[in-house]
Amino acid sequence: MKTNVLSFIKKYTMVIALVIVFLLFAWLTDGRLLNAQNLSNLLLQNSYVLVLACGMLLCILTGGNVDLSIGATVCLVGAIGAQLMTSANMNAVLTIIICLAIGAVIGVWQGFWIGYVHIPPFICTLAGMFLFRGLGRIVLNSKTINVSSNKLFVNIFASYIQIPGIDSDVKWSAFIVGIIVAVGLLVYTAINRANKTKAGYKVAPAAGTYAKMVIIALLVLFYTWKLAHYKGIPVMLLWVLAVVFIYAYITSKTAFGRYFYAVGGNEKATKLSGIDTRRVYFMAYASMSFLAGLSGLLVAARVGSVNGDTGTSYEMDAIGSCFIGGASAYGGSGTIAGVMVGAILLGVINQGMSILGMDNNWQYVVKGAVLLVAVIFDVVSNRKTGKS
């Protein structure tokens, strides 16, 4: 019994930490954290972290490597998009396509040097951080460009879904979607479990499996109920969920996704097994910059403007989310679900401290402490050393 409890705590440490931190700030803020507007803003203000963390996980899986240039890429892509829509009067949809293509090109550039020329990722992306930040400021001409007047662009990323005839003061469509998702999760769990049992696979105890899914379903219902009492489901949530589900599927359900874990676990053995590790590195950094380009558009639409400091420290938020969410500092382990928990935990800390009116500097202190504790826990619990 004791062993099972310890195993459960170790497996869900960050989830437990998230629950404790959330309840703590809900109490400290006298329930203001639970307000519909604050819960909606919790997602919107951290959407870029959720997106960037998915790409950063692939980089970390390859051996604890990171991409330091993503904040600068966010700035550069946002700057180009802002100039195209304001100075060139380009259509918002065409601008978005061009900006995503630029993000992909930056990824191909860095992926080539890292994967095929074997430039150390730290050095290559550090150079990119200076290079793309400088180019972004040149494109902006050291000015702040407002994009909020482009309604189509803002609506594509930062509007809210409302259905005439259903939504009024209460956006019932949000709660209806929550019910559909909750029921879908429970049905999927039952079908998946039945298929595994029929195929002869070992499955977890039914009580624990269904209890976990019921809790998740209730959280979905609670969150969508809150969204229904604000402005409804934000379009940005759909962008974030699309990225999360795609990367979760890639890392857990595809052979290529498992290559990232293999490279981080033992790169030499992976090479000997016939896997092209150069391609794995290339794809990790190519996808990372593509997501940075998408984040540049999300941030521009949410904030309504782009300046030379846009994206500052975004790479640190993404890296912190991955390590806090259980990704190993040595590579080879980590999940999208864990990364999302890490990102939300940082978001709750930021949101809670902001509501309390605490000095912004303390947010850095707390995030640094949480990151250090998470990495120490990973190293100690897995009996790892810097030489392993």
Side-chain angles (χ1 to χ4, degrees):
M1 181 65 181
K2 183 178 179 180
T3 303
N4 290 336
V5 171
L6 292 175
S7 177
F8 175 84
I9 293 175
K10 180 180 176 181
K11 184 177 181 180
Y12 296 105
T13 301
M14 285 303 129
V15 176
I16 296 171
L18 174 60
V19 172
I20 292 174
V21 169
F22 187 86
L23 294 177
L24 174 64
F25 277 111
W27 173 66
L28 291 174
T29 59
D30 296 323
R32 284 177 290 168
L33 181 62
L34 300 177
N35 290 347
Q37 182 176 355
N38 286 332
L39 288 178
S40 180
N41 289 339
L42 178 63
L43 165 73
L44 298 180
Q45 292 172 1
N46 293 280
S47 57
Y48 74 89
V49 183
L50 295 167
V51 171
L52 292 175
C54 290
M56 188 64 75
L57 176 64
L58 299 188
C59 298
I60 291 174
L61 286 176
T62 60
N65 302 303
V66 296
D67 188 337
L68 298 177
S69 68
I70 56 175
T73 303
V74 167
C75 177
L76 176 57
V77 172
I80 293 173
Q83 287 286 27
L84 288 175
M85 288 185 290
T86 55
S87 299
N89 293 317
M90 185 174 287
N91 175 268
V93 175
L94 181 57
T95 298
I96 291 169
I97 294 173
I98 292 174
C99 287
L100 292 177
I102 291 172
V105 169
I106 291 173
V108 169
W109 165 266
Q110 298 209 121
F112 169 76
W113 293 114
I114 294 170
Y116 291 96
V117 185
H118 305 296
I119 303 298
F122 181 88
I123 300 300
C124 185
T125 59
L126 179 64
M129 181 176 71
F130 294 120
L131 175 63
F132 304 138
R133 176 69 64 182
L135 289 175
R137 290 178 174 173
I138 290 171
V139 170
L140 291 169
N141 196 22
S142 300
K143 297 178 181 178
T144 296
I145 298 181
N146 190 304
V147 297
S148 59
S149 59
N150 192 314
K151 299 302 180 184
L152 177 58
F153 176 73
V154 173
N155 288 337
I156 289 174
F157 293 108
S159 61
Y160 292 82
I161 298 175
Q162 296 185 10
I163 301 177
I166 296 178
D167 297 331
S168 54
D169 292 338
V170 177
K171 310 304 182 290
W172 291 109
S173 60
F175 191 58
I176 291 172
V177 170
I179 294 174
I180 295 172
V181 172
V183 173
L185 287 172
L186 294 173
V187 171
Y188 172 79
T189 301
I191 294 175
N192 189 47
R193 180 180 173 79
N195 290 337
K196 286 185 176 181
T197 302
K198 185 177 180 180
Y201 292 112
K202 183 179 179 181
V203 294
T209 300
Y210 286 115
K212 181 173 70 173
M213 293 312 301
V214 166
I215 292 173
I216 294 174
L218 290 174
L219 289 174
V220 169
L221 291 175
F222 171 76
Y223 189 66
T224 52
W225 175 258
K226 287 292 186 178
L227 292 180
H229 285 76
Y230 183 50
K231 294 182 179 180
I233 296 177
V235 172
M236 200 168 290
L237 174 61
L238 303 183
W239 285 98
V240 172
L241 289 179
V243 171
V244 169
F245 285 134
I246 290 171
Y247 275 74
Y249 178 80
I250 291 173
T251 54
S252 63
K253 300 294 184 181
T254 67
F256 183 68
R258 306 312 298 177
Y259 292 168
F260 294 97
Y261 293 90
V263 170
N266 192 323
E267 185 173 351
K268 290 184 179 179
T270 305
K271 280 184 179 179
L272 293 174
S273 67
I275 296 172
D276 186 355
T277 57
R278 298 174 302 172
R279 180 166 170 257
V280 174
Y281 279 104
F282 174 85
M283 290 304 300
Y285 286 90
S287 71
M288 180 71 265
S289 292
F290 176 80
L291 291 183
L294 175 60
S295 294
L297 298 173
L298 293 175
V299 171
R302 183 182 68 82
V303 177
S305 63
V306 181
N307 60 49
D309 292 326
T310 297
T312 300
S313 298
Y314 281 15
E315 59 277 356
M316 299 308 168
D317 290 333
I319 294 169
S321 297
C322 291
F323 288 141
I324 292 171
S328 173
Y330 303 102
S333 67
T335 64
I336 293 295
V339 166
M340 294 303 101
V341 170
I344 295 172
L345 177 58
L346 286 179
V348 170
I349 292 173
N350 290 337
Q351 184 89 338
M353 296 180 76
S354 296
I355 294 173
L356 290 172
M358 297 180 68
D359 190 328
N360 185 56
N361 295 324
W362 281 105
Q363 294 184 20
Y364 290 100
V365 174
V366 173
K367 286 194 289 188
V370 171
L371 175 59
L372 180 60
V373 170
V375 174
I376 290 174
F377 176 81
D378 169 62
V379 173
V380 173
S381 63
N382 291 288
R383 298 285 194 271
K384 288 181 177 178
T385 68
K387 297 180 181 179
S388 64

